[in-house]
């Protein structure tokens, strides 16, 4: 849904894999840095992160912080996603989808065991997925709404049958909904784990760090390091200081304003990665005066997006609801070019020359974006009042009760265009044509044809000015030269560390 972060344009590092999985082993990230010296299999990798999980139960708890460290490292699904968000096999050696898009057949890899030593069978997959399908308290339950049955013809085969085609179903299996757990396991997932991934949980020091050890009996290629320590440092300056004093091998979510300090030290290589983070200026489409498309368009035309990105320090222009890494993306900059004079005319036509609006924003986002918006809107005669609130208040007032005019939040989930096809979502946007195109896109069995339908729907949303997408977020990561293979892109989704190595002394 959205992402908590203390500064705009910077996100906690999460990553996915980058090499297509073969039938005989697990996947690992494509190296993005060249290490100095030979990899040391006994090494410890220390990674600085921002957002710590509240508990480790990824089945019942949502949030980027859990996916960030648990998916692909501790837990695995039948499929996973690469850094470019393409789908690849994981616990499944291969899979087939029927021509009508209703039947998915997966073949499990050989030799997969849970961390307690029990062998993975198709019964574990069936039990895991049936639970998601029938238990509304489990993450991904809504994504299994079209699942009719999950069966296991034998110990190595799983067949999932849908009631109707769903272009997003396979992708949904790359998230928490698709993770596989041991049938009947009594592990307390809030504090412990029993996955199939290349690492096991060694220790969680709440408020400080989480430590993983290499799983010696992993079914695929063994992890490249013996131990991973995730250090949670919510303050960005403190994170940079920890990196510079030698406490960290990798620092994620580097504040763009602090990046030069790391780069000039000569101790780190900085990478800028793509994400599906959509810095969304939400309009309450169901509330006057935002129910007038002229007002919404005027607000978008008043924003100098390039100037805002420069102020934020990281990001790429985004003028529509679909980012570059998602199906259906196209450049929609023509829908809302910077044009303050036209904005003034539209406001005059709408009888809103002296408009005053309130921006409700979670306080941890800081003041950069509000300050830019205040300045840009003032130039077209719009007074913007800023109401910073604590995140629980934002959830209650904006997300749940829809009691707001303008809001800002970073929506990070991939393939979440469906929010604009849902009139009950907090945007209050109700367009039957968009809803119809989205329904067709999901039912379309051809991925290319589905993407075209999504692009058509996204253009309608942008030309309707249902929101403004201030920028597509980027993540800056600082990596020591001794580290190789640390992912760059999509690290708002998860960090797959299996293929990361650290050079010896």
């Amino acid at each position: 849904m959205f992402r908590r972060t203390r500064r705009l344009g910077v996100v906690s590092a999460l990553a996915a894999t980058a090499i297509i999985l073969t039938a005989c082993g697990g996947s690992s990230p494509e190296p993005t840095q060249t290490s100095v010296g030979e990899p040391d299999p006994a090494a410890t990798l220390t990674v600085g992160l921002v957002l710590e999980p509240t508990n480790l139960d990824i089945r019942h708890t949502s949030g980027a912080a859990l996916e960030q460290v648990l998916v692909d490292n501790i837990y695995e699904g039948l499929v996973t996603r690469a850094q470019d968000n393409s789908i690849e096999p994981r616990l499944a050696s291969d899979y087939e989808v029927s021509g009508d898009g209703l039947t998915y057949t997966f073949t499990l890899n050989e030799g997969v065991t849970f961390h307690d030593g029990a062998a993975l069978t198709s019964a574990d997959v069936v039990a895991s997925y049936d639970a998601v399908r029938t238990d509304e308290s489990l993450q991904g339950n809504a994504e299994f709404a079209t699942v009719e049955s999950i069966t296991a013809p034998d110990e190595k085969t799983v067949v999932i049958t849908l009631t109707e085609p769903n272009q997003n179903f396979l992708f949904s299996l790359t998230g928490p909904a698709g993770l596989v757990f041991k049938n009947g396991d009594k592990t307390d997932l809030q504090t412990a784990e029993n996955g199939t991934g290349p690492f096991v949980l060694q220790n969680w020091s709440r408020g400080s760090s989480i430590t993983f050890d290499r799983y010696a009996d992993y079914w695929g290629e063994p992890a490249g390091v013996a131990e991973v320590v995730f250090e949670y440092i919510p303050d960005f300056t403190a994170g940079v200081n920890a990196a510079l004093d030698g406490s960290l091998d990798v620092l994620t979510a580097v504040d763009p304003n602090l990046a030069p300090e790391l780069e000039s030290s000569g101790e780190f290589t900085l990478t800028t990665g793509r994400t599906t983070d959509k810095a969304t200026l939400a309009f309450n489409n169901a509330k006057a005066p935002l129910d007038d498309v002229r007002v919404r368009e005027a607000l978008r035309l008043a924003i100098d997006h390039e100037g805002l990105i420069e102020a934020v320090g990281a990001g790429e222009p985004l003028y529509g609801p679909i980012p570059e890494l998602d199906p259906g993306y196209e450049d929609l900059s023509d829908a809302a070019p910077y044009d303050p004079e036209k904005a003034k005319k539209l406001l005059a036509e709408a009888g809103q020359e002296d408009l005053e609006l309130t921006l409700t924003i979670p306080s941890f986002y800081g003041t950069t974006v509000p300050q830019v918006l205040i300045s840009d809107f003032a130039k077209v005669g719009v007074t913007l009042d800023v109401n910073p609130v604590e995140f629980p208040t934002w959830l209650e007032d904006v997300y749940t009760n829809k009691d707001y005019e303008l809001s800002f939040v970073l929506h990070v989930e991939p393939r979440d265009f469906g929010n604009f096809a849902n009139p009950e979502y907090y945007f209050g946007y109700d367009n039957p044509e968009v809803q119809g195109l989205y329904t067709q896109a999901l039912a379309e069995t051809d991925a290319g044809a589905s993407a075209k339908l999504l692009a058509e729907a996204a253009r309608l949303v942008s030309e309707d000015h249902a929101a403004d997408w201030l920028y597509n977020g980027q993540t800056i990561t600082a990596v020591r030269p001794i580290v190789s293979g640390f992912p760059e892109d999509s690290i708002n989704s998860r960090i797959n560390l299996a293929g990361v190595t650290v050079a010896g002394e």
Side-chain angles (χ1 to χ4, degrees):
M1 179 179 62
F2 33 75
R3 165 64 197 280
R4 298 179 55 169
T5 167
R6 286 174 163 249
R7 182 167 180 89
L8 302 169
V10 215
V11 295
S12 252
L14 303 128
T17 56
I19 297 176
I20 297 298
L21 182 67
T22 64
C24 59
S27 61
S28 59
E30 182 178 1
T32 55
Q33 300 88 27
T34 301
S35 63
V36 177
E38 291 298 317
D40 178 7
T44 293
L45 173 72
T46 305
V47 181
L49 303 178
V50 173
L51 191 62
E52 182 181 14
T54 56
N55 69 74
L56 300 181
D57 186 358
I58 197 169
R59 300 203 83 184
H60 293 90
T61 309
S62 65
L66 280 171
E67 290 194 50
Q68 176 175 27
V69 297
L70 296 183
V71 177
D72 290 338
N73 293 320
I74 296 292
Y75 299 111
E76 299 172 301
L78 294 178
V79 292
T80 188
R81 66 182 80 137
Q83 288 191 57
D84 64 358
N85 279 343
S86 60
I87 301 169
E88 58 188 35
R90 186 72 178 209
L91 290 177
S93 59
D94 56 57
Y95 60 87
E96 294 181 358
V97 183
S98 62
D100 61 6
L102 297 178
T103 305
Y104 294 72
T105 303
F106 300 88
T107 302
L108 300 184
N109 273 298
E110 298 288 341
V112 180
T113 63
F114 290 95
H115 293 160
D116 67 357
L120 170 75
T121 71
S122 55
D124 298 302
V125 181
V126 171
S128 298
Y129 290 3
D130 260 335
V132 174
R133 182 172 65 92
T134 58
D135 186 347
E136 292 184 359
S137 73
L138 292 184
Q139 293 298 305
N141 169 262
E143 297 167 354
F144 273 42
T146 58
V147 174
E148 181 176 59
S149 65
I150 308 160
T151 59
D154 56 57
E155 287 195 349
K156 293 299 177 184
T157 307
V158 175
V159 178
I160 301 176
T161 303
L162 307 185
T163 57
E164 58 189 48
N166 183 347
Q167 184 63 223
N168 276 349
F169 177 69
L170 195 61
F171 190 82
S172 74
L173 295 183
T174 69
L179 298 177
V180 177
F181 300 83
K182 181 182 174 183
N183 186 18
D185 192 23
K186 301 302 182 182
T187 300
D188 181 359
L189 297 182
Q190 291 203 16
T191 57
E193 58 84 10
N194 186 22
T196 61
F199 293 97
V200 297
L201 175 67
Q202 179 200 119
N203 180 62
W204 181 17
S205 178
R206 290 177 183 266
S208 177
S209 64
I210 294 177
T211 303
F212 292 168
D213 284 343
R214 179 194 292 124
Y215 178 42
D217 296 323
Y218 183 58
W219 60 275
E221 290 294 322
V225 294
E227 182 183 66
V228 177
V229 180
F230 300 104
E231 295 282 355
Y232 289 98
I233 310 173
D235 181 82
F236 287 100
T237 299
V240 169
N241 291 337
L244 292 174
D245 71 17
S247 300
L248 304 175
D249 298 309
V250 178
L251 177 63
T252 66
V254 176
D255 186 320
N257 295 316
L258 300 175
E261 189 175 352
L262 287 166
E263 194 164 31
S264 64
S265 73
E267 296 294 322
F268 292 90
T269 297
L270 268 59
T271 65
T272 301
R274 299 175 298 169
T275 74
T276 54
D277 296 5
K278 299 160 290 291
T280 306
L281 179 64
F283 301 150
N284 192 337
N285 287 254
K287 183 176 183 178
L290 282 310
D291 59 348
D292 189 328
V293 66
R294 295 171 297 182
V295 173
R296 300 195 301 268
E297 182 179 5
L299 294 178
R300 295 189 71 195
L301 296 176
I303 300 170
D304 179 0
H305 292 82
E306 295 287 353
L308 186 146
I309 291 170
E310 185 177 349
V312 168
E316 292 290 333
L318 180 66
Y319 292 90
I322 298 179
E324 182 183 0
L325 291 177
D326 280 353
Y329 169 78
E330 68 170 324
D331 180 359
L332 295 175
S333 55
D334 61 314
Y338 181 46
D339 193 341
E341 292 306 313
K342 183 177 179 181
K344 292 178 184 178
K345 292 178 182 178
L346 286 168
L347 290 170
E349 289 177 12
Q352 300 289 346
E353 295 96 326
D354 298 311
L355 182 61
E356 183 172 342
L357 295 169
T358 298
L359 172 71
T360 305
I361 180 171
S363 56
F364 50 71
Y365 280 120
T367 61
T368 303
V369 164
Q371 287 173 348
V372 171
L373 293 178
I374 289 171
S375 175
D376 283 351
F377 287 167
K379 294 172 185 176
V380 300
V382 175
T383 300
L384 184 66
D385 298 319
V386 179
N387 178 29
V389 297
E390 294 300 312
F391 192 63
T393 301
W394 185 90
L395 285 172
E396 179 70 17
D397 293 349
V398 177
Y399 184 71
T400 301
N401 295 331
K402 306 170 190 173
D403 183 15
Y404 77 103
E405 292 178 322
L406 305 180
S407 186
F408 174 85
V409 79
L410 213 59
H411 284 262
V412 306
E413 278 81 356
R415 303 196 187 197
D416 63 354
F417 175 79
N419 293 339
F420 287 96
N422 176 11
E424 299 303 314
Y425 200 65
Y426 82 96
F427 298 148
Y429 177 66
D430 188 357
N431 185 323
E433 187 175 1
V434 169
Q435 295 157 23
L437 286 168
Y438 183 64
T439 299
Q440 292 178 52
L442 290 183
E444 175 56 63
T445 57
D446 179 80
S450 176
K452 288 181 179 180
L453 289 166
L454 288 172
E456 185 179 347
R459 177 165 285 279
L460 286 175
V461 169
S462 187
E463 292 178 346
D464 244 357
H465 309 288
D468 190 76
W469 301 271
L470 299 176
Y471 58 87
N472 187 180
Q474 295 177 315
T475 182
I476 301 174
T477 305
V479 184
R480 289 193 183 278
I482 60 171
V483 177
S484 181
F486 200 88
E488 290 183 17
D489 292 332
S490 297
I491 57 178
N492 63 325
S493 301
R494 73 277 309 265
I495 307 173
N496 183 337
L497 294 175
V500 178
T501 60
V502 175
E505 297 294 333

